[in-house]
Amino acid sequence: MTLNTRNRILIFINCITIVFFILNLIFYFVCAAKGLIRFPDSKMVRDVYILGLNKLFTPSITAVCLSILVFSFAAALESILILRIFEKTQALEVIFFMVFICSCFAEQSRLLLAAMPSVQGNRLTFEIVTRLVVASRILAPLSLFFSTVFFEWDQRQNILRNVLIMVLVSATLGVYYPLNTEIRTSILTLGWGFPSVLATVRIVFVLGAVSSLIYYSIVKGSSDYIRILAGLIVLSSGYFFLCGADNYVIFIAGTALFAFGSFRYMKGLHHLYKWR
């Protein structure tokens, strides 16, 4: 993939994410004004999150919607920043981070299920959205893992292959992952089977990315990798919190971590490639 091709793709992502963020805001405020924002009228579970921290706080549909809007806003803002900062940089990590942004962008599909009572009773719509969410939540940590393992210059010819592998793996798992269609979760999805297994797989991908950065910081003796590592850890923590945010405490914590981690991660990448 040439630099011009990458930038054209990024410009396209810019336009799409900005338009959808504006539409999401309009959609949410209109539905909120009409009193349509609410949890589905069915059995609701809260057992799909890491460490179960959310169970300590009262669920709020507003907090869920705000966390979705944060993902939508982050996709729009970060795609703009990436194009502005890395427009002339051949960093392969940027391509994988674009995939991460797209996975965050997919979270906005849940917003429909909060504001459309007619859709909330449609099991097929819930299943489609849930499978999209599952696929995106596998793709996000997988893209961070690939960005630390396959970023060397000899991988430049394999970049499209690697992206295709990530998308196919995530899509396949999203399509075939077992779901419980009889229950709804407080993050506006169907219940999914083996939540601890899914959480473990996602954490393993992140730990693999962390381990790779630690290895490169030692082998190459560069403090830039430590900066990237710090940003990635905070970014991942914020991402996981926002994914499970069904109350204001987790939402605020996740938003702060996600914003600061994104800033540190992109700043670390920029510093690494500043003189290249």
Side-chain angles (χ1 to χ4, degrees):
M1 180 185 295
T2 65
L3 188 60
N4 288 335
T5 301
R6 188 204 69 183
N7 289 340
R8 291 192 189 100
I9 294 174
L10 192 49
I11 291 173
F12 174 76
I13 294 175
N14 282 169
C15 297
I16 293 297
T17 53
I18 292 172
V19 169
F20 270 87
F21 172 65
I22 295 173
L23 292 177
N24 286 337
L25 279 181
I26 296 173
F27 178 78
Y28 173 74
F29 283 117
V30 169
C31 292
K34 294 181 178 180
L36 299 177
I37 303 295
R38 58 181 174 81
F39 283 118
D41 295 327
S42 59
K43 180 181 177 181
M44 186 176 73
V45 299
R46 306 178 69 197
D47 61 350
V48 297
Y49 315 119
I50 298 173
L51 303 179
L53 292 175
N54 58 310
K55 295 182 180 180
L56 300 176
F57 310 102
T58 303
S60 168
I61 186 63
T62 303
V64 178
C65 292
L66 289 177
S67 68
I68 297 171
L69 289 174
V70 166
F71 275 130
S72 183
F73 175 71
L77 178 61
E78 291 180 1
S79 61
I80 294 174
L81 291 177
I82 286 178
L83 182 61
R84 182 178 180 84
I85 297 173
F86 298 99
E87 182 179 5
K88 299 180 180 180
T89 304
Q90 291 279 3
L92 293 183
E93 292 94 335
V94 172
I95 297 176
F96 292 113
F97 196 64
M98 287 166 53
V99 178
F100 176 79
I101 289 174
C102 291
S103 67
C104 293
F105 179 75
E107 293 285 342
Q108 65 187 336
S109 60
R110 292 186 287 137
L111 196 61
L112 291 173
L113 305 180
M116 300 180 68
S118 59
V119 174
Q120 290 181 353
N122 188 318
R123 182 178 298 177
L124 177 61
T125 303
F126 249 106
E127 182 174 352
I128 292 174
V129 170
T130 301
R131 294 198 178 282
L132 178 60
V133 170
V134 171
S136 69
R137 294 192 177 186
I138 295 173
L139 181 61
L142 187 59
S143 63
L144 295 178
F145 173 72
F146 269 58
S147 71
T148 61
V149 175
F150 300 107
F151 76 95
E152 292 285 5
W153 296 106
D154 59 352
Q155 290 294 327
R156 180 164 300 280
Q157 301 302 319
N158 300 322
I159 185 65
L160 293 179
R161 182 203 65 183
N162 292 337
V163 171
L164 181 61
I165 290 174
M166 288 191 300
V167 173
L168 288 178
V169 169
S170 303
T172 301
L173 292 176
V175 169
Y176 293 105
Y177 199 84
L179 302 177
N180 188 336
T181 59
E182 300 301 321
I183 62 176
R184 309 289 189 266
T185 72
S186 58
I187 56 167
L188 302 174
T189 66
L190 292 175
W192 47 57
F194 313 108
S196 59
V197 174
L198 181 60
T200 300
V201 169
R202 298 169 71 205
I203 292 175
V204 167
F205 285 142
V206 174
L207 291 178
V210 169
S211 300
S212 297
L213 286 173
I214 293 175
Y215 169 78
Y216 283 116
S217 66
I218 295 174
V219 171
K220 297 180 182 277
S222 174
S223 60
D224 290 329
Y225 291 99
I226 299 298
R227 296 188 182 94
I228 298 173
L229 171 62
L232 184 140
I233 292 175
V234 178
L235 168 64
S236 300
S237 300
Y239 171 77
F240 284 130
F241 270 82
L242 281 177
C243 284
D246 66 354
N247 60 81
Y248 288 108
V249 175
I250 301 299
F251 161 69
I252 293 173
T255 301
L257 290 171
F258 191 81
F260 183 71
S262 298
F263 169 76
R264 295 299 303 175
Y265 182 76
M266 285 191 287
K267 185 176 181 180
L269 281 180
H270 179 256
H271 195 273
L272 178 64
Y273 289 94
K274 187 175 182 179
W275 306 111
R276 295 189 182 183

